[in-house]
Amino acid sequence: MESILTINNLTKKFGQLTAVNNLSFTIKKGNVYGILGPNGSGKSTTLGIVLNVVNKTSGNFHWFDGNTTTHNALKKVGAIIERPNFYPYMSGYENLKLVCKIKGVNYSKIDEKLEIVGLLKRKHSKFKTFSLGMKQRLAIASALLNDPEILILDEPTNGLDPQGIHQIREIIKQIAAQGTTILLASHLLDEVEKVCSHVVVLRNGVKLYAGSVDEMISSHGFFELKCNNQSELITLLENHNAFGNIKVEGDLVTAFLTEPIKSDTFNKLLFEKGIILTHLVQRKESLEEQFLKLTDNLNKQNQ
Amino acid sequence: MFRLLNLELQKLLLNKTSKILIFVSFILPFFVILLSSFKINVFGFFTLELGELGIFNFPIIWHLTTFFSSQFKFFFAIVVVSMIGNEYSNKTIKQNLIDGLSKKEFILSKFYTIVFFSLVSTVLIFLISLCIGLYYSSYNEFSIIIKETEFIIAYFVKLVGFFSLCLFFGMLVKRSAFALAFLFILFIVEWIIFGLLAWKLDTDVAEKIQNFFPLKSMYKLIDQPFQRIAMTKFPDKANLAYDYGAHSYEILIVLAWTALFIFLSYRLLKKRDL
């Protein structure tokens, strides 16, 4: 598959702090990628580097086949990072006209893209009169002007009200459905889970995971158990091969599977051993739990 | 090149404040010069006609008009520093780069704008001086008319040099008000260094060194014309004589500063994380 962005051993240091540490990953055409990570994990810095606004300390990256300069490649990229940045004294239309001039795009695209984000009626209003949701939508229209090969969004729903968040997500889904590659940085896991097919998980500038969302969630899942004889249950779980990690929270026992086991088989086994359950749920981890597990593991290693 | 100029002109001309300041810095001086060339009747007591004083004669008119209108450059300096300051405060510099403008193109678009407005101003001052001169001057021979037109070139170089300095300060401190303060500080620092040199060495040497300083070298391009006007009135007073010419080495010094400021602005932007 055609690759859009390749990053090799990228490192960025701000004085003592290492914001991005030896990061490598590849973005392939047609997928929707999420960069996940808590605040300050190096998401924005990584995007800043590939977008030509932050200087890398070492390593390298290249856009497309590597034969175009970064600033020329960026003309085929649409990106919004952090909050929408426009000239407050210009109207929405004039702001987009300026972007057209930079990217070398025909002005006829402006109305088309304003239509997509639903701002056509307000196109002659000054940017400073826009609400935050409208500003963010204008930013998306601006990023779409050149019909980009890849759309990069950094925290696109940050600070928006629920309605605004919903509007932005709908627009993103619509764009993804048209086959545009999307790179979405976010700390909102449900957001990534809903729209992304692939994820890169970052923490303190280090890559913890890169691959498809399905693979990341494809563990054997876990059981949530409650019974009247907790200590006996825990001893049994600890001696059973199929269980790895066991977590106790109050009267709820969570047992993580290391190999597949069916709930009826498991229930039967417990009953034969004289343990009667009051609560049994078998579940797969959500992206959030998987993410916390990944970041937790690292915490333990560090200790 | 026109793409970059076009880009910057849109940013400037849609902004009300910069539009007014551009008007003040470039159009106002011409009106003032034009008005001063008219015969003004002061409440019927007497008529004031500056043309009668011989200051609109060729070639001195080149010197006078360029000196006078270059005093208005400060208004455009505000535009230059604010066009950098606004890019930083609106974070649009970041967005411009993300949209595919290279850092070099960003600086160039600012520089082209500076050159463009300096050129417009130079052409305007050339035309208006020519018209007033042709109307008032006692000498209309072609050779006298074109004499000292180097003041026009000096005027252009002076504007470009000064605005490049403003551009550099704008890039350096990112805020318009601070950049203007820096300009003022540089002015004071130049005089302090001059004072120290004059005290340690002697005044003549100090003055020669001072002529290489950025602000002083720009000022030196077009010296004040008042002493010269006095000279034409009292040709026998030799102690009034001074070197008022716009010399090619003076132009070279300012061009060197211009190149340095633009280069440093680029370096600064290149090294900076936005």
Side-chain angles (χ1 to χ4, degrees):
Chain A
M1 213 189 294
E2 212 179 311
S3 67
I4 296 220
L5 174 65
T6 312
I7 296 179
N8 288 319
N9 306 96
L10 202 65
T11 300
K12 173 67 188 177
K13 286 182 181 155
F14 292 107
Q16 289 289 311
L17 181 92
T18 308
V20 177
N21 194 352
N22 214 11
L23 182 67
S24 308
F25 64 88
T26 311
I27 303 276
K28 300 277 186 197
K29 197 182 168 84
N31 294 331
V32 179
Y33 288 85
I35 300 189
L36 271 179
N39 292 329
S41 58
K43 300 186 299 278
S44 296
T45 311
T46 309
L47 294 181
I49 293 171
V50 298
L51 291 172
N52 209 13
V53 290
V54 176
N55 296 310
K56 63 191 181 201
T57 307
S58 67
N60 62 66
F61 67 92
H62 62 81
W63 285 98
F64 307 110
D65 53 3
N67 294 325
T68 34
T69 58
T70 303
H71 85 271
N72 273 326
L74 289 183
K75 287 175 185 157
K76 291 194 268 177
V77 173
I80 328 165
I81 59 180
E82 288 156 15
R83 61 190 183 88
N85 304 319
F86 289 102
Y87 297 88
Y89 54 86
M90 286 187 208
S91 71
Y93 185 82
E94 286 160 348
N95 266 304
L96 293 193
K97 212 167 131 185
L98 195 76
V99 178
C100 282
K101 283 179 190 170
I102 293 176
K103 298 204 176 210
V105 177
N106 199 297
Y107 297 156
S108 62
K109 287 273 175 197
I110 299 176
D111 282 355
E112 179 193 325
K113 303 303 175 191
L114 282 174
E115 175 85 67
I116 293 178
V117 298
L119 279 178
L120 203 53
K121 278 188 189 150
R122 289 293 303 272
K123 70 173 181 178
H124 291 304
S125 309
K126 292 236 188 308
F127 177 70
K128 60 184 168 203
T129 66
F130 282 14
S131 71
L132 183 62
M134 289 165 73
K135 285 177 178 174
Q136 195 64 274
R137 268 145 61 203
L138 184 70
I140 293 182
S142 150
L144 289 175
L145 276 175
N146 51 346
D147 292 318
E149 305 240 357
I150 177 171
L151 185 65
I152 294 178
L153 303 158
D154 189 1
E155 311 275 5
T157 56
N158 217 0
L160 295 182
D161 56 19
Q163 203 190 354
I165 293 176
H166 182 71
Q167 280 175 332
I168 299 286
R169 280 193 192 151
E170 284 307 306
I171 296 169
I172 295 173
K173 277 184 195 160
Q174 208 181 317
I175 298 160
Q178 288 161 7
T180 309
T181 312
I182 294 179
L183 179 58
L184 174 75
S186 181
H187 59 258
L188 301 173
L189 293 123
D190 60 328
E191 187 165 291
V192 171
E193 198 173 6
K194 272 175 196 155
V195 291
C196 299
S197 58
H198 289 69
V199 275
V200 176
V201 181
L202 293 183
R203 193 169 166 280
N204 293 340
V206 180
K207 180 178 77 179
L208 299 181
Y209 176 83
S212 74
V213 176
D214 293 339
E215 268 173 55
M216 184 172 167
I217 311 178
S218 78
S219 62
H220 301 294
F222 58 89
F223 282 114
E224 278 179 358
L225 308 164
K226 278 183 197 171
C227 76
N228 295 328
N229 198 348
Q230 207 182 53
S231 55
E232 216 169 301
L233 172 69
I234 292 168
T235 337
L236 186 134
L237 290 173
E238 275 168 354
N239 295 326
H240 197 287
N241 289 334
F243 294 97
N245 208 356
I246 293 156
K247 220 163 66 185
V248 185
E249 277 171 71
D251 59 346
L252 183 75
V253 179
T254 313
F256 293 88
L257 288 165
T258 54
E259 57 187 64
I261 183 167
K262 283 196 170 162
S263 54
D264 52 353
T265 328
F266 180 58
N267 199 5
K268 199 173 158 213
L269 174 86
L270 288 180
F271 193 76
E272 280 162 6
K273 300 264 177 189
I275 300 168
I276 299 160
L277 293 171
T278 56
H279 174 95
L280 167 67
V281 176
Q282 184 173 25
R283 271 180 55 194
K284 286 235 172 183
E285 282 126 325
S286 69
L287 189 59
E288 182 169 349
E289 282 153 330
Q290 199 62 35
F291 172 73
L292 291 173
K293 215 165 112 185
L294 265 174
T295 45
D296 255 8
N297 282 346
L298 201 86
N299 272 343
K300 277 178 197 147
Q301 280 166 26
N302 285 349
Q303 278 160 11
Chain B
M1 184 180 145
F2 287 108
R3 167 178 157 257
L4 295 178
L5 182 62
N6 188 278
L7 212 67
E8 194 55 43
L9 286 182
Q10 185 190 337
K11 291 179 194 169
L12 283 182
L13 296 180
L14 287 174
N15 190 333
K16 218 176 270 169
T17 321
S18 41
K19 222 164 30 185
I20 292 169
L21 283 170
I22 289 169
F23 179 79
V24 170
S25 53
F26 292 122
I27 310 298
L28 206 61
F30 303 114
F31 274 119
V32 176
I33 291 171
L34 206 62
L35 279 177
S36 67
S37 68
F38 293 151
K39 210 183 261 186
I40 302 162
N41 197 322
V42 186
F43 306 116
F45 293 116
F46 61 95
T47 29
L48 184 71
E49 196 180 4
L50 291 168
E52 296 293 298
L53 295 171
I55 58 166
F56 292 132
N57 280 342
F58 289 118
I60 197 171
I61 184 171
W62 298 124
H63 188 172
L64 192 74
T65 51
T66 50
F67 176 79
F68 182 73
S69 70
S70 65
Q71 305 308 311
F72 283 82
K73 69 183 188 296
F74 197 70
F75 293 102
F76 191 67
I78 299 174
V79 176
V80 173
V81 293
S82 68
M83 77 186 181
I84 305 287
N86 284 342
E87 299 274 10
Y88 273 105
S89 60
N90 295 332
K91 288 203 175 179
T92 41
I93 178 170
K94 198 168 170 179
Q95 195 61 45
N96 280 180
L97 296 180
I98 290 170
D99 286 338
L101 204 67
S102 69
K103 288 182 172 178
K104 194 170 159 190
E105 282 177 327
F106 183 83
I107 297 289
L108 278 180
S109 82
K110 303 288 178 200
F111 182 63
Y112 288 155
T113 310
I114 287 172
V115 173
F116 173 76
F117 278 109
S118 305
L119 201 65
V120 169
S121 171
T122 309
V123 169
L124 279 174
I125 197 104
F126 174 77
L127 291 176
I128 206 149
S129 306
L130 193 68
C131 292
I132 297 173
L134 285 175
Y135 184 73
Y136 280 103
S137 180
S138 329
Y139 324 101
N140 283 328
E141 294 86 355
F142 182 70
S143 60
I144 292 182
I145 292 175
I146 59 157
K147 209 174 152 197
E148 293 188 20
T149 38
E150 68 262 26
F151 277 113
I152 293 292
I153 299 166
Y155 177 71
F156 175 69
V157 172
K158 181 176 171 155
L159 290 188
V160 173
F162 183 68
F163 299 145
S164 302
L165 173 66
C166 298
L167 177 75
F168 172 64
F169 278 154
M171 289 306 297
L172 189 68
V173 297
K174 305 179 199 171
R175 283 182 188 82
S176 341
F178 288 147
L180 290 174
F182 256 62
L183 214 56
F184 186 63
I185 291 169
L186 177 67
F187 175 75
I188 294 170
V189 166
E190 279 192 18
W191 279 103
I192 289 175
I193 296 177
F194 170 73
L196 286 175
L197 287 172
W199 175 48
K200 287 287 174 196
L201 308 161
D202 66 293
T203 321
D204 278 352
V205 178
E207 204 163 316
K208 279 197 182 105
I209 296 173
Q210 194 199 15
N211 286 345
F212 282 96
F213 294 166
L215 282 176
K216 179 70 182 180
S217 66
M218 287 167 200
Y219 179 78
K220 265 297 278 178
L221 273 178
I222 304 172
D223 297 274
Q224 47 87 7
F226 309 115
Q227 209 173 334
R228 183 176 176 194
I229 293 166
M231 268 162 68
T232 59
K233 297 291 160 199
F234 314 101
D236 47 328
K237 289 201 175 168
N239 59 344
L240 281 176
Y242 70 119
D243 181 15
Y244 53 75
H247 301 289
S248 50
Y249 69 86
E250 290 175 341
I251 290 179
L252 271 180
I253 294 171
V254 176
L255 283 179
W257 279 117
T258 308
L260 186 72
F261 291 138
I262 297 300
F263 173 72
L264 285 178
S265 306
Y266 173 61
R267 270 289 295 273
L268 212 60
L269 182 60
K270 202 176 166 119
K271 295 256 154 143
R272 195 173 269 169
D273 294 328
L274 296 164

